[in-house]
Amino acid sequence: MKTKLESIREESLRAIRAAADPGALDALRVQYLGKKGSLSAVLKQLGSLSAEERPQIGELANRIRAGIEAALKERGEALQSALLERKLREEALDVTIPGTPVALGARHPLQIVWDECVDIFIGMGFQVAEGPEIELSEYDFDRLNIPEGHTVREWTDTFYLTEDEKVHLRCQTSPVQVRVMEKQQPPIRIVSPGRVFRKDEIDATHSPMFHQMEGLVVDKGITMGDLKGTLNVLLRRLYGPDTVTRFRPHHFPFTEPSCEVDVQCFECHGEGCRVCKGEGWIEVLGAGMVHPKVLAGCGIDPEEYSGFAFGVGLERLAMRRFSISDLRLMFENDVRFLRQFS
Ligand code: PHE
């Protein structure tokens, strides 16, 4: 029995020293020290020994067990530290290596103007409202008092999506007015920037897709004076405090009275030059007092409330602001153009 124990000791210590990983070490622990392990198997036979032999063998077995445990522990620690060392070596970072530069983009000129306009109006207590780009003709035309036969309703002007002409790509942001008013009673103060679509040939100043920002204010006692004051704030914030504006009578079906707003040409100060095409003025937006029919159609009593609305083309603002000569530059995504705005 003694030789049996000795050979277990030798064999186990050799195996432990050779164990390649913690898993193998665990298996050895079970094999030698486990309930069904080789050491237990020997100890089960202690009963067959004489009274003198029993304590000796028992003691030897205990020493061997302690020896195996110590060897397991030692090998375990050695494996752990080898593992750690390897990890440290493999995952070593050279903090002196120069990093890979991350190219920082720039906001698109249109986005700059968009953000600027929204900021100006938020400063005046407006909220931003959104509307769908695929719009019902009911909202883009009928409820804006745009009658059958109006040119914007022609196939040649509008991208219809259905045969019956009931759904199309909106040709202005004005339907958002209707969407807001039918949901909300006054006071209303919103702006709504977004994409609009018209069947225009693309050239230096036209595109079948462009951007507008709609504005709408409805409350008790709103007058044309509020419209002028608000738009003057916008244009002076955009173009400088000395900007001269002109409100010129015009016609829109959904406002009455309606106007177009011009700014005096800052190149020639009204003399007439190449920039303003000899006019002395540059048209920037359309506006007017919300038509009583439009208010009533949204469940707002025109006897109690009045309002103004405006629509401004964002490409035009951006082109003026950054002296961009050709609208197409804004949609061609040439990085050489875009980089100039960083
Ligand atoms: N929707 C008009 C256009 O696209 C602009 C406008 C908006 C005019 C609101 C008056 C009031 O030309």
Side-chain angles (χ1 to χ4, degrees), residues 25 59-60 67 87 97-98 107 131 204 207 212 217 266 307 336:
L25 216 51
E59 208 238 306
L60 177 62
K87 262 188 121 169
I97 292 175
R107 267 188 310 164
S207 160
Q212 285 189 332
V217 172
F266 9 74
R336 289 169 303 179

Side-chain angles (χ1 to χ4, degrees), residues 25-78:
L25 216 51
D26 265 346
L28 291 174
R29 181 190 307 281
V30 173
Q31 184 184 337
Y32 293 109
L33 303 182
K35 269 204 191 98
K36 291 178 184 158
S38 12
L39 207 56
S40 308
V42 176
L43 290 178
K44 272 188 195 126
Q45 295 160 20
L46 272 184
S48 65
L49 295 177
S50 66
E52 299 98 73
E53 268 180 319
R54 215 179 291 154
Q56 279 174 24
I57 297 295
E59 208 238 306
L60 177 62
N62 278 340
R63 258 193 288 131
I64 289 175
R65 165 180 289 278
I68 294 175
E69 274 169 354
L72 282 168
K73 184 158 179 264
E74 192 188 326
R75 184 65 187 156
E77 283 167 3

Side-chain angles (χ1 to χ4, degrees), residues 157-224:
D157 267 27
T158 298
F159 292 103
Y160 288 103
L161 299 176
T162 56
E163 237 11 274
D164 62 7
E165 302 186 7
K166 287 203 158 111
V167 185
H168 65 258
L169 299 181
R170 66 178 178 186
C171 60
Q172 51 187 352
T173 43
S174 300
V176 182
Q177 292 183 29
V178 180
R179 290 192 172 275
V180 170
M181 283 193 282
E182 70 177 3
K183 278 210 209 80
Q184 187 190 330
Q185 279 292 307
I188 293 170
R189 251 185 236 103
I190 58 109
V191 283
S192 184
R195 218 180 302 198
V196 299
F197 307 84
R198 292 183 195 174
K199 279 195 175 169
D200 278 330
E201 292 293 330
I202 190 153
D203 64 23
T205 53
H206 294 87
S207 160
M209 185 281 298
F210 59 102
H211 298 75
Q212 285 189 332
M213 186 178 68
E214 194 76 9
L216 173 71
V217 172
V218 185
D219 204 350
K220 287 187 177 140
I222 297 292
T223 68
M224 198 91 185

Side-chain angles (χ1 to χ4, degrees), residues 265 267-268 272-278:
C265 180
E267 195 61 35
C268 63
C273 68
R274 219 167 42 94
V275 173
C276 58
K277 299 198 182 82

Side-chain angles (χ1 to χ4, degrees), residues 35 58 71 90 105 108 121 138 184 212 289 322 326:
K35 269 204 191 98
E90 281 172 1
H108 192 282
F121 281 100
E138 183 195 337
Q184 187 190 330
Q212 285 189 332
M289 301 305 291
F322 298 113
D326 193 321

